Amino acid sequence: MTEKSTESNPVDEKVKALEAQFSNILEADERKGYSGYLIAADQLLNFATRLRDEFGYDYLSSVTGVDYLPEEKMEVVYHAYRSAGGPALVYKVQVPRDNPVVPSLVSVYPGAEFQEREAWDLLGIRFSDHPDLRRILTWEGFAGHPLRKDWKEPFYQEEKKPFKDRWPEGKVSRIEDTIEFGKNVQYPPSFDPESWTPEVDKLLYAGMTQMEPDADSNGRSLDTDHIVVNFGPQHPSTHGVFRMVLSLDGETIVDLKPVMGYLHRNHEKIGERNTYIMNMPYTDRLDYICSMGNNFGYALAVEKLMGIQPTERAEYIRVMMAELTRVLNHLWAIGFLLNDLGAFFTPALYAINERELILDIFEATAGSRMMCNYFRFGGVARDLPEGILETVRELVHERLPRRTDEIETYLKDNEIVRTRGIDVGILTPENALAFSTAGPVLRASGIPYDVRRADPYSIYDRFDFNVAVRYNGDVYDRYLIRIDEIRESLKILEQVVRDIPDGEIQAVRPQYQVRVPAGEAYGRVENPKGELGFYIVSDGSPTPWRYHVRAPSFINVTAMAEMCRGYKVADAVAVLGSIDIVLGETDR
Amino acid sequence: MYGIGILKGLGVTLKHFIETYVDDIRWLGKRYYNEEALISRQGTDARGVFTVQYPEEKLITPEEFRYIPFLVYDEGPDGEQLIRCTSCGICSKVCPPQCIWIERSSDPETGRPIPEPTEFFIDIDICMNCGLCAEYCPFDAIKMDHDFELASYDRIKDHIFDRERLLKPASYYASIRPKNYQQEEEIKREKEAAKKAKKSK
């Protein structure tokens, strides 16, 4: 079952009550290394609704699909949590692979919308009653479902790495010279460019609420245009290649649809071809601003599968790096939110100034400022160099608190920021939970859910820190909560630097071929942008069977439409800046 | 008064502005283009202009900094290159984007593999600078270089490094990574001493 503790705690009691109530439709997952429940597709909606209403599992964190080709099944895995805290309730639906149809959970948890679209796009699992089942990460005319086990990419060489032609007969060649078009494209055999007409975004525009061209604009005296504007992928304020399609009435937003996938690299498929240790540098490139945090989540997931614990010193170093990353990220986020609001780059550069000092620490320790590749299974890769702890102490005790105060006085009382931030883009607490938002977005709306407190991982239960919460849920609160979180991180860092022990940094001898037993694991961390989760299914071979990333930026954007309706176009920029997305994570 | 917030913010900007001049004067004209000042300007009590005047000034790369790998050879007594690499292939197997090609040849008479790479290619366009090859090499033969100024005009010809391009002496390795070099030399000396002690028994 989900918990193996022998003492009875309230969560166990509830789980037992749950199993008793649903014993006729729930079936425990008996596969080796797996946990959770299997449920039939037709019972899913009923079960999920009752779980949310009666048992308090009101936060659906992750919806993902798995392709079990040998057993001819597709499986959809749900991780549900209670906003009061506690471990996950994992339930799964299995459907036949040649016609996978699962009822959609969007009516129960609206936050499942984008994740179900992703399962449709990448795996071909159809969700009945989904309001808008279109492809999300690939373009609308894409042929095939990339994450299926029988789909091969254009640069395909072998099923799993390492490839045999690299050694011992290392005849170098560029893959572009050996494939059909010389580029990363492939076309289905039936494709005829002469007869193909692009139906660009027809379904997208059809699904948007638009006002009729001649509709009465609420009797206003201004004769406003009703148009659809593409806040294009190329835009300086969209924090990356991100597109929003806005349906406008004058300047007021009637409907908003985010379109993503311009940076989709099929990270999850690459992850299935890589061995476990090879995946570590790839995780750096997900949320490329918080690379240490991504490494942390992945290391946690694989360590759960392997059943090993890192050493004491490594745990302290990990927490130190994670909290430094949080400071890093929030400085960047604040800087760029203020940039979006119009303070062109001065506050951003002041914030990035402080960031540089932290990046120098990363460079001296891990070898690289951004793509750190520092965590290993059982510890960290290298020990801290001499003098680094002193630098961290100086930063944490003196420089960063001063600069945080300075950034706060800089623009907190600024009238322009207040007018553009207060009561703009409000996200109510109920919506925040329902849309599965996580991180500062959730906590600025009044729900004090922080994975470090709700479901502690690593050694966070030893540190004394508060969970930052704000109650208005607008852009201004999301700006202020990031400053609060920087202060909390500095508190944790003071304790880490005070208590860090000496010792070994790796629990197991470093091996380049890691053997991971079969099973599944979900490792989640509180990344600065939200809850980052890694769902890994292992079949005992050197490479993962399924590797899924629960990306906070991807899921936080589900709430964009709700936050922007009724506000002006310029507010959409402010709201997007306050959600703080990074495209590497949104698109993977 | 309405507008206090904006004035507070402008006060912060003014402070930064004045600080740039104050710091310049404090250094009496020696603030740029010398290493001592650069280290201080990038330290934790840095004030004033933070910019590094590249390419006249370059940031000092820390020892652990990793860019493209290189192969290490020890300099023999007659100036010959004693290549450490035995073409075991571990770096090529652990490389995440698979950018290392190693050609290993066999001795024509005995048929056993020669512990030296006949050819060694790294495609630096594919290399993701992760450092896993250097981390898992059992012979300390491949290490991460610090040189990042590798731009060229023809990516197809210049961006696949062959064995000649990749070989660099151990003295170069000691100059860019002194602490690592010392630690490895110590481990080697201890192993030699242990072997000698065993043999003499």
Side-chain angles (χ1 to χ4, degrees), chain A residues 161-163 165-174 176-177 274-275 277-279 281-282 285 346 350 352-353 356-357 360 363-369 371-374 376 381-382 385-386 391 394-395 399 402-403 406 409-411 413-416 419 506 510-513, chain B residues 1-10 12-17 19 42-48 50 59-62 64-66 87-90 92-105 119 121 123 125-126 128-132 135-136 155-156 160 179:
Chain A
K161 291 182 187 167
F163 298 144
D165 69 337
R166 300 305 198 253
W167 175 88
E169 286 97 40
K171 297 278 175 271
V172 68
S173 65
R174 295 177 72 240
E176 287 93 341
D177 299 331
N274 282 350
T275 62
I277 191 68
M278 281 185 193
N279 257 327
Y282 279 96
R285 285 141 168 96
T346 309
Y350 289 167
I352 289 171
N353 207 339
E356 288 291 314
L357 300 167
D360 285 340
E363 198 181 13
T365 319
S368 171
R369 286 151 52 101
M371 303 300 167
C372 298
N373 187 21
Y374 186 52
R376 299 283 179 267
R382 274 176 279 281
E386 292 165 29
T391 319
E394 278 169 26
L395 274 184
R399 189 171 174 115
R402 252 201 334 241
R403 294 295 173 153
E406 187 183 280
T409 45
Y410 198 17
L411 283 162
D413 295 322
N414 189 301
E415 283 77 6
I416 301 177
T419 322
Q506 287 219 30
Q511 310 161 329
Y512 72 96
Q513 270 175 342
Chain B
M1 182 185 103
Y2 192 63
I4 288 273
I6 298 183
L7 285 179
K8 263 206 267 187
L10 286 174
V12 172
T13 315
L14 189 64
K15 184 179 95 141
H16 275 256
F17 179 66
E19 248 177 20
Q42 300 294 316
T44 51
D45 51 358
R47 293 190 187 290
F50 200 62
L59 271 177
I60 300 136
T61 51
E64 291 292 337
F65 179 66
R66 42 186 159 83
S87 65
C88 68
I90 289 183
S92 150
K93 287 176 203 158
V94 84
C95 171
Q98 299 282 284
C99 71
I100 299 183
W101 283 263
I102 308 179
E103 191 184 324
R104 180 187 73 178
S105 45
E119 256 307 352
F121 296 103
D123 189 339
D125 283 338
I126 304 181
M128 60 202 280
N129 315 323
C130 64
L132 288 180
E135 199 173 316
Y136 290 104
R155 71 197 306 235
I156 298 178
I160 298 187
K179 287 205 191 88

Side-chain angles (χ1 to χ4, degrees), chain A residues 312-320 459 462 496 499-501:
Chain A
E312 271 299 295
R313 185 172 166 88
E315 294 266 38
Y316 275 88
I317 295 179
R318 283 183 173 188
V319 171
M320 184 168 85
I459 49 171
R462 293 187 208 176
V496 169
D499 295 338
I500 184 167

Side-chain angles (χ1 to χ4, degrees), chain A residues 136-155:
Chain A
I136 187 167
L137 290 177
T138 54
W139 69 289
E140 66 274 359
F142 192 86
H145 297 284
L147 269 181
R148 288 195 168 194
K149 289 289 178 182
D150 48 1
W151 187 89
K152 292 190 173 27
E153 64 271 20
F155 280 0

Side-chain angles (χ1 to χ4, degrees), chain A residues 11 19 49 75-76 96 122 138 142 190 199 227 251 253 263-264 319 338 361 420 481 491 508 513 544 554 573 587:
Chain A
V11 180
E19 287 169 11
T49 321
E75 189 174 284
V76 182
L122 298 179
T138 54
F142 192 86
S190 56
E199 284 187 351
I227 55 175
E251 274 219 17
I253 298 176
L263 191 52
H264 180 61
V319 171
L338 294 170
I361 295 175
R420 286 200 66 183
I481 198 177
K491 255 196 241 175
V508 293
Q513 270 175 342
F554 182 60
V573 175
D587 293 344

